[in-house]
């Protein structure tokens, strides 16, 4: 028996004499201690920052003190991207979309030039937060285009951050009908933009992922293939991407199965490259006939966005992607970019911090990449009976609603309790009020849903009276909600 195990057994037996040498990690200071230290050193930017982030994200925090502590910390460190992000998040949660949008954009601008380890993650998370503000504020399109365009073109970004910024800018170009801009954005993002597709092969939808490939990996796709029983012999077809995203369906067989997508990849110089692959399906990536990445989602329900490093030589390379899906029109995004120093954060094998701002940021990254189960594991300690900070309660509620392994009724019940707890901790939250009304309506509790409408109307009326940036017609909507709630 190993010495550690023997000592454990003897300890339970009441024996003495075993000595083990272990290094105990010191417990982080409580929020009460952080308040005392910040009060004793009012001009210390580090202490002010630590306290402000703790009041926002730590258990036992006081939401009524958050604005004041954030203000003090921001005055001492106005260019700290984490503080700017937190201020934007608070504005977002309190129903101030114009301030939230400006803060998220400023977070990205500051993080680009920051050497802090969380900088690239902040760019990724804040970009999707910007996307969430679409339609909420006047001047959104031009504001985002002018401020994020230069970031994508010139800033040193990780593959994850670059993809996130692209996910904001590409839809704006599509809505304007600017196809030239869409093409340029796709090229900047390193996206493969055209494929030749064969499939879906059947008759089983997912078992083909384990079978010998029905295409010759050493040769270009043939003109046609036998797709299996009841599917017949069908021609391969050319498919263009929508910027970076391609749907592999649209052929004569509208069914699930195994699809093969072939593309050509031109590499400018020998070196290390990063593959960013976004799909909810099981995939295997081949380059020049050799498998370089396999993701089997039947076995591991991980992030839908995955990253992989590989070395490529200059010249043309033939890319093949095998996609197994039950969906008749599976989606795929594939981008390849040179490995940069900023990509170190993408491949750093770290779990989210056990609490506070680090935990919030890690969970936000997991959710941005579609890793719901990873986010759930990180937030496993969060419950409606704890004194967890409101942002973490809301993240746990979002995880509950999206959890693929929990029945719908349980999801709604868990989320309802978490939303209620968040509102109790911070009555200024307005998003959970709308979420609770929606959940009540879905469950057939119409009276309960209607009872929440005057609260929403109050938020809208407050926003109309102050220039917080909601789009027009909020006054009419507030009046309607108030009138309906009164009957």
């Amino acid at each position: 028996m190993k010495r550690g195990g023997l000592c454990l057994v003897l300890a339970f037996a009441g024996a003495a004499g075993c000595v083990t040498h272990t290094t105990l990690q010191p417990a982080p200071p409580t929020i009460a201690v952080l308040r005392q230290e910040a009060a004793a050193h009012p001009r210390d930017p580090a202490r002010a920052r630590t306290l402000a982030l703790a009041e926002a994200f730590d258990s036992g925090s006081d939401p009524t003190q958050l604005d004041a502590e954030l203000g003090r910390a921001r005055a001492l460190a106005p260019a700290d991207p984490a503080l700017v992000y937190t201020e934007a998040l608070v504005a977002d949660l309190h129903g101030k979309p114009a301030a939230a949008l400006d803060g998220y954009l400023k977070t990205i601008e500051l993080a680009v030039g920051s050497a802090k380890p969380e900088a690239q993650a902040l760019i990724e998370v804040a970009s999707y937060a910007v996307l969430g503000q679409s339609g909420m504020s006047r001047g959104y399109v031009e504001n985002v285009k002018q401020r994020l365009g230069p970031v994508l073109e010139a800033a040193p970004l990780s593959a994850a951050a670059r993809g996130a910024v692209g996910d904001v800018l590409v839809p704006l170009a599509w809505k304007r009908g600017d196809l030239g801009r869409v093409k340029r954005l796709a090229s900047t993002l390193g996206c493969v933009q055209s494929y030749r597709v064969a499939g879906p092969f059947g008759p089983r939808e997912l078992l083909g992922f384990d079978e010998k490939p029905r295409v010759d990996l050493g040769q270009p796709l043939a003109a046609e293939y036998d797709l299996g029983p009841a599917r017949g012999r069908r021609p391969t077809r050319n498919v263009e991407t929508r910027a970076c995203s391609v749907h592999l369906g649209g052929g004569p067989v509208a069914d699930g199965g195994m699809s093969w997508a072939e593309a050509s990849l031109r590499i400018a110089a020998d070196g290390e490259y990063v593959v960013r692959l976004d799909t909810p399906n099981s995939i295997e990536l081949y380059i020049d006939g050799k498998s370089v990445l396999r993701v089997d989602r039947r076995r591991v329900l991980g992030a839908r966005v995955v990253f992989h490093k590989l070395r490529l030589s200059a010249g043309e390379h033939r890319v093949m992607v095998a996609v197994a899906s039950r969906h008749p029109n599976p989606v795929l995004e594939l981008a390849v970019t040179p490995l940069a120093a900023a990509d170190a954060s993408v491949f750093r094998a770290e779990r989210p911090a056990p609490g506070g701002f680090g935990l919030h940021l890690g969970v936000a990254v997991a959710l941005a990449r579609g890793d719901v189960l990873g986010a759930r594991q990180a937030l496993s300690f969060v419950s409606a009976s704890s004194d967890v900070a409101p942002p973490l309660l809301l993240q746990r509620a979002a995880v509950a609603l999206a959890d693929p392994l929990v029945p719908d009724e349980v999801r709604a019940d868990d989320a309802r309790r978490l939303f209620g707890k968040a509102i109790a901790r911070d009555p200024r939250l307005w998003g959970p009020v709308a979420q609770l009304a929606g959940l009540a309506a879905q469950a057939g509790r119409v009276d309960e849903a209607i009872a929440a409408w005057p609260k929403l109307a109050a938020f809208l009326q407050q926003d109309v009276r102050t220039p917080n940036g909601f789009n027009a017609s909020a006054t009419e909507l507030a009046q309607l909600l108030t009138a309906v709630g009164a009957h």
Side-chain angles (χ1 to χ4, degrees):
M1 181 182 289
K2 293 182 179 179
R3 180 175 175 83
L6 178 61
C7 286
L8 181 63
V9 172
L10 293 178
F12 276 107
C18 278
V19 178
T20 59
H21 300 280
T22 58
T23 302
L24 298 178
Q25 295 295 328
T30 65
I31 196 166
V33 172
L34 296 178
R35 289 168 183 154
Q36 293 172 358
E37 292 180 349
H41 303 84
R43 302 303 300 169
D44 186 336
R47 286 186 170 90
R49 179 187 195 268
T50 300
L51 178 57
L53 294 179
E55 293 289 12
F57 301 106
D58 280 13
S59 297
S61 60
D62 184 356
T64 65
Q65 299 298 315
L66 178 54
D67 289 344
E69 298 301 342
L70 264 177
R72 275 190 280 271
R74 288 272 286 114
L76 294 171
D80 188 315
L83 293 175
V84 175
Y85 167 79
T86 303
E87 196 171 57
L89 176 66
V90 172
D92 195 356
L93 298 179
H94 290 165
K96 301 175 182 178
L101 176 61
D102 181 69
Y104 289 138
L105 291 171
K106 190 171 183 180
T107 298
I108 296 169
E109 293 165 340
L110 292 172
V112 163
S114 173
K116 292 184 179 294
E118 70 269 16
Q120 293 296 317
L122 278 171
I123 296 172
E124 183 179 1
V125 170
S127 294
Y128 289 114
V130 167
L131 190 60
Q133 298 299 310
S134 177
M136 296 287 283
S137 300
R138 296 181 181 89
Y140 170 87
V141 173
E142 288 305 316
N143 197 6
V144 171
K145 178 184 174 184
Q146 291 173 6
R147 296 177 68 174
L148 287 193
V151 171
L152 184 62
E153 296 294 337
L157 300 175
S158 69
R162 185 183 299 108
V165 175
D167 283 345
V168 180
L169 293 175
V170 167
L172 301 184
W174 269 111
K175 289 178 182 178
R176 293 194 309 272
D178 189 346
L179 299 184
R181 173 67 172 163
V182 171
K183 286 284 187 182
R184 291 192 298 274
L185 285 171
S187 296
T188 301
L189 295 168
C191 297
V192 175
Q193 298 182 53
S194 63
Y195 295 85
R196 187 160 182 81
V197 178
F201 292 86
R204 304 291 187 268
E205 294 173 336
L206 302 181
L207 291 181
F209 199 61
D210 298 318
E211 297 174 351
K212 180 181 178 180
R214 299 196 203 177
V215 302
D216 186 346
L217 297 174
Q219 299 294 327
L221 287 179
E224 60 180 16
Y225 289 93
D226 184 350
L227 302 186
R231 301 192 180 203
R233 195 165 189 85
R234 305 291 185 174
T236 55
R237 58 197 183 278
N238 294 320
V239 179
E240 297 296 320
T241 64
R242 182 182 172 96
C244 296
S245 180
V246 63
H247 286 83
L248 303 181
V253 177
D255 207 344
M258 189 78 172
S259 296
W260 290 85
E262 178 188 53
S264 179
L265 178 66
R266 176 178 288 276
I267 297 299
D270 295 356
E272 297 286 330
Y273 287 80
V274 179
V275 172
R276 178 184 185 270
L277 199 148
D278 183 352
T279 181
N281 307 295
S282 294
I283 66 97
E284 188 159 8
L285 174 65
Y286 299 83
I287 295 183
D288 298 329
K290 296 181 179 179
S291 175
V292 297
L293 175 63
R294 181 180 172 89
V295 180
D296 190 346
R297 301 198 186 279
R298 301 168 304 173
R299 301 176 184 274
V300 179
L301 292 175
R304 63 170 284 157
V305 182
V306 295
F307 301 90
H308 183 70
K309 283 191 292 187
L310 73 166
R311 185 165 191 85
L312 293 171
S313 59
E316 293 283 343
H317 296 270
R318 192 166 62 85
V319 175
M320 293 279 280
V321 186
V323 181
S325 177
R326 291 189 175 95
H327 200 283
N329 197 19
V331 66
L332 171 70
E333 285 188 20
L334 176 63
V336 181
T337 52
L339 180 69
D343 286 312
S345 61
V346 175
F347 296 103
R348 194 179 296 133
E350 292 181 352
R351 293 181 178 180
F357 172 70
L359 175 60
H360 166 81
L361 188 61
V363 169
V365 168
L367 291 174
R369 298 177 187 177
D371 188 4
V372 177
L373 297 186
R376 184 183 70 174
Q377 184 176 7
L379 294 173
S380 59
F381 70 96
V382 176
S383 70
S385 62
S386 61
D387 64 347
V388 173
L392 296 185
L393 286 165
L394 296 180
Q395 283 184 316
R396 184 64 185 88
V399 169
L401 289 174
D403 196 326
L405 302 182
V406 176
D408 290 345
E409 296 81 1
V410 178
R411 292 185 204 173
D413 288 342
D414 288 346
R416 191 178 297 108
R417 286 190 288 267
L418 291 160
F419 284 137
K421 179 65 174 182
I423 294 171
R425 293 274 281 121
D426 185 356
R428 294 180 296 169
L429 298 174
W430 79 286
V433 177
Q435 291 274 14
L436 285 172
L439 290 172
Q442 291 173 12
R445 297 193 295 273
V446 179
D447 290 344
E448 181 182 334
I450 292 175
W453 291 359
K455 298 179 184 178
L456 296 175
F459 279 110
L460 289 170
Q461 288 173 327
Q462 174 187 356
D463 198 78
V464 170
R465 289 195 300 270
T466 58
N468 290 339
F470 272 115
N471 275 328
S473 62
T475 303
E476 292 81 357
L477 179 57
Q479 293 171 349
L480 174 63
L481 292 174
T482 303
V484 172
H487 288 80

